[in-house]
Amino acid sequence: MPPDAPSPAPDLAAARDLLRRVWGYDDFRGLQGEVIGTLLAGGDALVLMPTGGGKSLCYQLPALLRPGLGLVVSPLIALMQDQVEALRLLGVRAAFLNSTLEAAEANRIERDVLEGRLDLLYVAPERLLTPRFLGLLERTALGLIAIDEAHCVSQWGHDFRPEYLGLGVLAERFPRVPRIALTATADEVTRREMRDKLRLEGAGSFVASFDRPNLRYVVVDKEDARAQLLRFLRTEHGGDAGIVYRQSRRAVDQTAAWLVEQGISAVPYHAGLDAETRSHHQRRFLREEGVVVVATIAFGMGIDKPDVRFVAHLDVPRSLEGYYQETGRAGRDGLPATAFMTYGLADVISMRRLLASGGAGDEVKRVEQRKLDALLGYCETVACRRQVLLGYFGEAYEGPCGNCDTCTNQVDTWDGTVAAQKALSAVARTGQRYGGGHLVDVLLGKSTPRARERGHDKLPTFGVGSDLDERTWRSVLRQLVATGLLQPDADGYGALRLGAGASAVLRGERDVRLRRDPERVAPRRVKARPSATGLAAADLSGEAAARFEALRAWRATAARAQGVPAYVVFHDATLRAMAELAPADLDALSTVSGVGAAKLARYGAQVLAVVAGGAADEAEDGGEGFLFDPV
Ligand code: ADP
Ligand code: ZN
């Protein structure tokens, strides 16, 4: 059918019907329904939703309903294959075209496009923009164009892709085809650029809340980061997949090796490893269950594994933007997940020093200063973390959320004026040349060789801080650096000087309130279970937990047999629901969210056998049946 032949516009009821039949989901989430309605009516849409918000459905579903091909532009080549495999398992006729394909395969797909044998085609921007490919599209009935990761058009962002600037041409070449641009990047500048550069002037704007309610935010005072991580993994995330971020390659290698020694399947990932090792480790993370990747921030973009159960920052992140993006990789499937950070004096010092020593101009420095203050403010807050985080992105959130460490472990403040005076005076009297360790020794009155050598044991400040313990002094110093009352030397080794406002404190003209760091943040309450099943199975009853385990084992076999990641077969949330419901027949199984017609036909019998307590027969393949006839 030519694209502009009159045909009744499919409505939302038809869309909901398809949602149930193909995806097995009950209803739309958030703004999905409105976005889909706009596209079905022939309009354009600009969609901002957080990671895990359900963006893909916004274009996949209307692409199936509208006559013609749904074209998806995506910069993430590594991801296309998984997305296409997942769609095929749903019975959708999907394919991708990128540089990884052999010429013969690419030709075959182009023929499929021309002959209307595809519902969805994923393509990299550089290929899309070739005159040859644009020509091919002009001979094709197009139903919809989706531009994923649309923030890549922004020259100010981290992910700028020059080819994205060329995508505006689609507006001229295909004026009648509805276009949708999607991103998880929220800021106003990016939004404007998307609208301008992608020529989406008339597009409806759909901006979701950027809250991720299933993420629990936890920031703990750093004592021994590795030991704290291990305790966190053992108490809350046994057997879970997750990402541990570290700042340096060396720290990545050491942490990964150490976790392996502790019996955790961990792999390192950073730009210093050769490409083959990197892709092997990424593949293990995606395909195996319960793998922990220890990585620099080089890892993550384009990872859309839905069942990442935790993201841990053992070093402080670069900015709140970075933190939000990195932690956002946890819990895409909507099940509980944790964003964990250890943060201490050394982190604050290195962040402040970095800023002071950077060669940037004044204007840039001011912006960076503001960003750093926001990040430190988040770390040091005694208020609900979610409120602070969303507030930074301009979203008013009525806290407290009840799902962050400051909400579940009420954090007190104390009058730290006298402590601050003691600390600042120790800095002043030792000549503003020493780092945190020595200052704490002086405050506590520890007669170390260095203290004696420098005559610091004779100072009036020597030992004035013996009323507080070492951990508290480190906390005091950390907070003084965080608020700028102490300032690290730009090029020293963590030496601290008095910062602006310090003299007012010393003269007693300014009070200082400090946060009382809790001894330990109580872990998320997870019932003790015999198995190492992680957070996804938390609070399942004994029998249901056993079924969940059995289903997980079956899923691993089925996924291996088909060469796809486990979550492509079924998500954890779907397995959980199956384990709880214990369906006795296909009808009952079909009511589980995430079980659509194609998967029911392919896996239904096997799942029922596993649930009934028997072993499923060899994960045999029911064949690839497509649900849709060519339009
Ligand atoms: P995003 O691209 O915005 O990060 P995805 O499209 O990957 O998010 O969706 C996140 C998860 O939510 C996926 O596991 C998806 O299957 C699921 N999902 C999306 N829409 C719905 C819905 N209406 N009902 C149930 N689950 C949904
Ligand atoms: Zn909270």
Side-chain angles (χ1 to χ4, degrees), residues 383-387 397 399-408:
C384 170
R385 296 216 193 263
R386 194 175 307 272
Q387 206 167 28
Y397 177 85
C401 74
N403 195 23
C404 71
D405 62 318
T406 46
C407 278
T408 52

Side-chain angles (χ1 to χ4, degrees), residues 420 424 480-487 497-502 505 510 512:
L424 295 174
L480 293 178
V481 179
T483 50
L485 287 169
L486 282 177
Q487 182 71 46
R497 290 183 282 106
L498 298 183
V505 174
R510 175 171 161 185
V512 179

Side-chain angles (χ1 to χ4, degrees), residues 148-168:
D148 206 3
E149 312 289 348
H151 62 280
C152 290
V153 81
S154 165
Q155 274 148 298
W156 308 106
H158 297 295
D159 302 328
F160 176 54
R161 299 276 303 237
E163 315 86 62
Y164 262 62
L165 291 174
L167 295 176

Side-chain angles (χ1 to χ4, degrees), residues 29-32 34-35 46-55 58 183-187 191 205-213 324 390 393-396:
R29 251 194 210 161
L31 299 170
Q32 281 175 338
E34 288 171 52
V35 175
L46 200 61
V47 175
L48 281 75
M49 282 183 189
T51 305
K55 285 186 287 300
C58 293
T183 181
T185 301
D187 69 87
R191 206 180 303 180
S205 187
F206 301 89
V207 183
S209 162
F210 271 65
D211 183 23
R212 300 286 312 279
Y324 179 82
L390 291 174
F393 294 112
E395 194 174 324

Side-chain angles (χ1 to χ4, degrees), residues 537-559:
D539 65 75
L540 282 178
S541 77
E543 278 179 26
R547 278 193 293 272
F548 181 79
E549 278 299 293
L551 284 165
R552 231 158 81 122
W554 163 79
R555 179 179 67 176
T557 321

Side-chain angles (χ1 to χ4, degrees), residues 1-8 65-69 113-116 137-144 174 176-178 630-631:
M1 189 188 307
D4 42 8
S7 66
L65 273 182
R66 287 183 60 87
L69 175 75
V113 168
L114 281 174
E115 288 162 22
L137 287 181
E138 258 156 15
R139 286 175 284 139
T140 306
L142 272 185
L144 171 143
F174 309 100
R176 286 167 201 275
V177 181
V631 176

